[in-house]
C-alpha cells in the first residue's frame, strides 16, 4: 500500500463535507486540480474508490468513502489536539469539537455540554448542529460531527451508542385536565380527549402507532414540530400529549403534570452515539463519561450503566 498524507486526508474531508471539488478548493485555499490530484492519490494509496464525480452535480461518496471520511476527520482532530497540547505545554485539548443533537433535546442537553467544555476544556471551540435524528447521524457518518445525542428509536445501524438514561412515554397533562388526579393512565381512557402531538419523526409515527396498538384512534387536534409549543398547548389545558421529558412548566409558566402509562410501551432511552467505524478520541470519551454521570439529573430519566 502506498503512503498517504495528512494533507490528502484534509482535502478529502473538505470534499466529503462540501460534496464539491470547487467548494473544497476554496475552503482549503488550493486549486481544484490540487484537490483532484490529492483525491486520486489517496484512492491509489488505499486501493479503493472514495468518491463518484458527476459533472455539474457534485461529488458523492462511495460506502468506502463514507467510512474513510469519518475516520479521516477523527485523525485530523486528534492531530490538531496533539499539536495544540504540545504548543501549550500541557495535556489539554484544543481545536474544534462538534456535537449533534436531536432538536427536541437541545434545551436539555446542550447547556450541560457547553458548561463541560467551558469549565474543563476552555481552549476547545465547541460547535452545535441541531436537527432530526437521521440528519445529524448522517452528518456524523460523513465526518462532520463528533458525537450525537439522540433517542433509542432513532439510532442508525452504523453507529454505536452509550445509554445515558432510560426513557419511557409519559402522558403530559394540565393539572386541570379531567384525568390529572390519577396516578397512572390507561391509554384507552385518552380516546375521547384531544391530543397535541409532536410533528417530528419518529415521534409523530411512534405516538400514533402506540395509541393504535392499544386500540385508541387518537383525536389529534394540534401538531407542532416545536416541543415548547406542545407544552404550551397542554399547559393551557387544550389537549394532552405524549412526551419523554418531564419539564415541570411550559414556557408560559403554566404547570404540567406527567403520568406513567399503565400499558407496557417499551423504552426510548436517551443515547449518545458515535460512528461504529471510529475509535473514540480521548475528548469524546471524557464527554460521554461526564454526560453519563450528570445528564440524568437534568432530563428526569433513570440512569443506566454506560453500554451499547
Amino acid at each position: 500500500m502506498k503512503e498517504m498524507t495528512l494533507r490528502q486526508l484534509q482535502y478529502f474531508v473538505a470534499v466529503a463535507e462540501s460534496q464539491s471539488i470547487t467548494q473544497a478548493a476554496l475552503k482549503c485555499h488550493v486549486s481544484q486540480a490540487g484537490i483532484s490530484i490529492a483525491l486520486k492519490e489517496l484512492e491509489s494509496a488505499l486501493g479503493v474508490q472514495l468518491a463518484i464525480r458527476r459533472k455539474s452535480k457534485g461529488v458523492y461518496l462511495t460506502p468506502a468513502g463514507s467510512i474513510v471520511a469519518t475516520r479521516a476527520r477523527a485523525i485530523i482532530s486528534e492531530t490538531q489536539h496533539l499539536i495544540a497540547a504540545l504548543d501549550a505545554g500541557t495535556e489539554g485539548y484544543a481545536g474544534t469539537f462538534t456535537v449533534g443533537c436531536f432538536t427536541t433535546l437541545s434545551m436539555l442537553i446542550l447547556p450541560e455540554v457547553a458548561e463541560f467544555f467551558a469549565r474543563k476544556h476552555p481552549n476547545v471551540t465547541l460547535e452545535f448542529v441541531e436537527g432530526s435524528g437521521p440528519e445529524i447521524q448522517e452528518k456524523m457518518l460523513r465526518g462532520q460531527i463528533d458525537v450525537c445525542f439522540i433517542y433509542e428509536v432513532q439510532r442508525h445501524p452504523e453507529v454505536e451508542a452509550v445509554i445515558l438514561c432510560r426513557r419511557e412515554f409519559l402522558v403530559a397533562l394540565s393539572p386541570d385536565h379531567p384525568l390529572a388526579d390519577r396516578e397512572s393512565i390507561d391509554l384507552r381512557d385518552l380516546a375521547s380527549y384531544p391530543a397535541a402531538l409532536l410533528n417530528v419523526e419518529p415521534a409523530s409515527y411512534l405516538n400514533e402507532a402506540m395509541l393504535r396498538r392499544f386500540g385508541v384512534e387518537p383525536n389529534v387536534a394540534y401538531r407542532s414540530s416545536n416541543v415548547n409549543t406542545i407544552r404550551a398547548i397542554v399547559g393551557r389545558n387544550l389537549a394532552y400529549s405524549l412526551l419523554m421529558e418531564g419539564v415541570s412548566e411550559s414556557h408560559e409558566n403554566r404547570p404540567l403534570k406527567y403520568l406513567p402509562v399503565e400499558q407496557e410501551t417499551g423504552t426510548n432511552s436517551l443515547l449518545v452515539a458515535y460512528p461504529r467505524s471510529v475509535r473514540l478520541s480521548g475528548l469524546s470519551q471524557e464527554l460521554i463519561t461526564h454526560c453519563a454521570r450528570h445528564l440524568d439529573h437534568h432530563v428526569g430519566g433513570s440512569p443506566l450503566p454506560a453500554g451499547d
Side-chain angles (χ1 to χ4, degrees), residues 127-229:
E127 294 184 353
F128 295 143
V129 177
E130 300 166 73
S132 68
E135 177 186 7
I136 58 176
Q137 288 179 95
E138 183 60 34
K139 289 183 178 180
M140 181 173 69
L141 291 170
R142 287 172 52 195
Q144 296 173 267
I145 291 174
D146 291 285
V147 297
C148 287
F149 291 88
I150 57 173
Y151 280 124
E152 181 181 350
V153 296
Q154 298 171 318
R155 178 177 169 181
H156 191 285
E158 295 179 40
V159 309
E160 298 289 351
V162 173
I163 301 174
L164 299 179
C165 56
R166 186 186 301 276
R167 308 305 294 278
E168 297 178 350
F169 288 100
L170 299 171
V171 179
L173 302 166
S174 162
D176 297 325
H177 193 281
L179 301 179
D181 60 349
R182 300 188 180 188
E183 294 185 0
S184 60
I185 294 290
D186 184 322
L187 291 176
R188 291 168 293 188
D189 292 338
L190 296 171
S192 61
Y193 296 100
L197 299 183
L198 273 171
N199 194 26
V200 178
E201 296 303 339
S204 178
Y205 165 77
L206 287 175
N207 288 339
E208 295 186 47
M210 181 179 66
L211 289 168
R212 293 190 177 102
R213 177 156 54 96
F214 293 104
V216 179
E217 185 60 37
N219 174 19
V220 184
Y222 309 97
R223 296 183 189 274
S224 175
S225 60
N226 189 317
V227 70
N228 289 322
T229 301

Side-chain angles (χ1 to χ4, degrees), residues 48-121:
V48 294
Q49 184 173 357
L50 300 175
I52 299 172
R53 306 155 186 82
R54 298 184 64 188
K55 189 173 182 180
S56 302
K57 293 186 178 181
V59 177
Y60 298 86
L61 299 188
T62 64
S66 296
I67 294 173
V68 172
T70 305
R71 293 189 177 184
R73 190 176 189 274
I75 292 170
I76 294 166
S77 177
E78 282 296 289
T79 303
Q80 291 172 339
H81 292 156
L82 173 63
I83 294 172
L86 292 174
D87 288 343
T90 70
E91 293 300 320
Y93 292 102
T96 299
F97 192 90
T98 305
V99 172
C101 191
F102 178 46
T103 304
T104 65
L105 287 170
S106 294
M107 64 182 288
L108 300 170
I109 301 295
L110 297 185
E112 181 70 29
V113 173
E115 184 172 9
F116 165 79
F117 278 95
R119 296 189 184 281
K120 299 291 186 180
H121 300 289

